[in-house]
Amino acid sequence: MNNLITLDEFIIRRQKDFPFASGELSGLLRDIGLASKIISREVNKAGLADITGIAGNENSSGEAQQKLDVMADNLLISCLKNSGECCGIASEENDTFVPIHSSGNAKYVVIFDPLDGSSNIDVNVSIGTIFAIYRRKSTSAEVQLEDFLQSGTEQVAAGYVLYGSSTMLVYTTGKGVNGFTLDPSIGEFCLSHPDIKLPEKADIYSVNHSAYREFEPGVKKFIDDCIEDAFKFRYIGSMVADVHRTLLKGGIFMYPGTEKATNGKLRLLYECNPLSFIVEQAGGKASDGRSRILEQKAEKLHQRTPVYIGSSQLVEKVEKLIQETKGNN
Ligand code: AHM
Ligand code: MG
C-alpha cells in the first residue's frame, strides 16, 4: 500500500505540469477513467449475459441488452456529456460528430473508438477503448467539423484502455507515457507502469499475413526479412492489444494498404493518431509508410490510413523499403 498512486491522484499531481491549466483536462481524463471502469465491468461479464439474460433482447431486469460496443459508446457519450468539460465528441461508432450544448465554454473535443477489436468480443480475446483530446479551434456557438479534423500533432492528450488479462489505462499528455492497472478490489486504476519506454530490442512483427499477396513490394520484402531474421510473429487482431504489446516488448505492428484498399482499414482519427502519439512519446515511431502519421492531414472523420508503428529502426526500415521499391510489382 506504501507507494500506491491512483489515476486520479496522478492526474491531479500532473496538472502542475501545465502552468495555466484550469483543471478541465484533468477532469476530462478522470471522466474517461470512470467510464472505462464501467466498460471494464461490462466487458468482464460479457459471457454471462447469455446465461443471466432472458430470451429475446431483454435481461432479467427488463432492460434491453445491448451489444457491448454500442453500450461502450453510449456510456462514454453520457459520461462526457455530464462532465461539462467537453463541447463535442466524435465516435467511430457514429457517422458524424455530436455537439454538446450543456457545456458552456468548454474548450475540448474528444474523439474515441469505444470498443476497438470488437470482432474479438465473442471469443474472449482482449479489446480496448482508444481516445484523443483536442483543443477546440472554432469560435462559433457550436463545435464545427474543423474542430475534429485537426492533425495528430495537435492532440493535447491521448490514451487507451485495454481489457485484457487485467484492465489497463495508458495515457500521455505529451510528457511521457504512464500506465495504470485496475485493481478490481478497490475499483481504482493504480500506477503500475510509470514512464513507459518502448524497448529498442525489436524482434517481433505483427501484421495480418493473409493479405500478404496484396501488399506492395516494399512491405513484402520487409516481411520476408522478418521471417529470414527469425523474428517472432504475433497478431491478436485488436489494435490496442497489438500496440500495447509493442509498447512493452518492442517490435512493429503494421496494417498496410492493399491494391483494393489502398489506405488499409484503420482510422486516422479514432485509432492511429492517439496510438501514434503514445508510441512517439514512448520513444517509438509511427508512419503511414511515407511520412509521420501525426502530420497527416485529416479530411474526413472516418479517414483510413496505412500504419506502421513501433520500434524506430523497424519503422524506418519499412519506410525505406517502400520508398526503394515504389512502382515495382
Ligand atoms: P474495429 O474497429 O471494427 O474493431 O476494427 C479494428 C480492428 C483493429 O483493432 C485490428 O488491428 C484490426 O481491426 C484487425 O483487422 P483484420 O481482421 O483485418 O486483421
Ligand atoms: Mg476500431
Side-chain angles (χ1 to χ4, degrees), residues 42-173:
E42 297 302 312
V43 165
N44 281 322
K45 61 184 191 201
L48 283 172
D50 287 340
I51 305 171
T52 54
I54 54 172
N57 267 351
E58 285 186 349
N59 63 18
S60 50
S61 353
E63 298 154 338
Q65 267 179 20
Q66 287 179 324
K67 284 182 67 194
L68 272 181
D69 39 9
V70 179
M71 180 281 301
D73 190 43
N74 290 340
L75 212 116
L76 271 162
I77 294 176
S78 64
C79 271
L80 291 169
K81 272 189 174 164
N82 292 336
S83 76
E85 286 120 3
C86 169
C87 53
I89 50 135
S91 159
E92 203 206 54
E93 287 285 327
N94 303 314
D95 292 340
T96 188
F97 63 91
V98 182
I100 299 178
H101 301 282
S102 54
S103 58
N105 292 325
K107 55 176 183 273
Y108 294 108
V109 299
V110 182
I111 301 182
F112 57 85
D113 182 352
L115 219 46
D116 182 61
S118 43
S119 64
N120 277 325
I121 295 175
D122 292 343
V123 289
N124 209 353
V125 170
S126 300
I127 46 182
T129 297
I130 311 173
F131 62 90
I133 302 176
Y134 294 81
R135 204 165 274 116
R136 173 182 186 179
K137 292 264 179 231
S138 65
T139 49
S140 48
E142 208 169 71
V143 278
Q144 306 293 314
L145 185 59
E146 61 172 289
D147 296 317
F148 298 91
L149 299 184
Q150 301 190 46
S151 71
T153 50
E154 302 292 315
Q155 289 172 103
V156 177
Y160 62 81
V161 185
L162 174 66
Y163 312 102
S165 42
S166 58
T167 297
M168 271 195 78
L169 187 148
V170 175
Y171 84 98
T172 183
T173 52

Side-chain angles (χ1 to χ4, degrees), residues 272-305:
C272 298
N273 270 343
L275 295 177
S276 299
F277 188 21
I278 289 177
V279 163
E280 283 198 4
Q281 282 293 314
K285 278 201 162 188
S287 166
D288 61 7
R290 277 140 188 97
S291 46
R292 200 174 162 216
I293 290 277
L294 293 183
E295 286 174 15
Q296 247 194 60
K297 193 168 162 24
E299 270 151 3
K300 50 183 186 178
L301 285 174
H302 291 269
Q303 187 167 321
R304 297 175 200 267
T305 177

Side-chain angles (χ1 to χ4, degrees), residues 116 125-128 160 162 236 238-246:
D116 182 61
V125 170
S126 300
I127 46 182
Y160 62 81
L162 174 66
I236 298 167
S238 280
M239 190 185 187
V240 174
D242 280 313
V243 170
H244 183 68
R245 182 199 54 250
T246 307

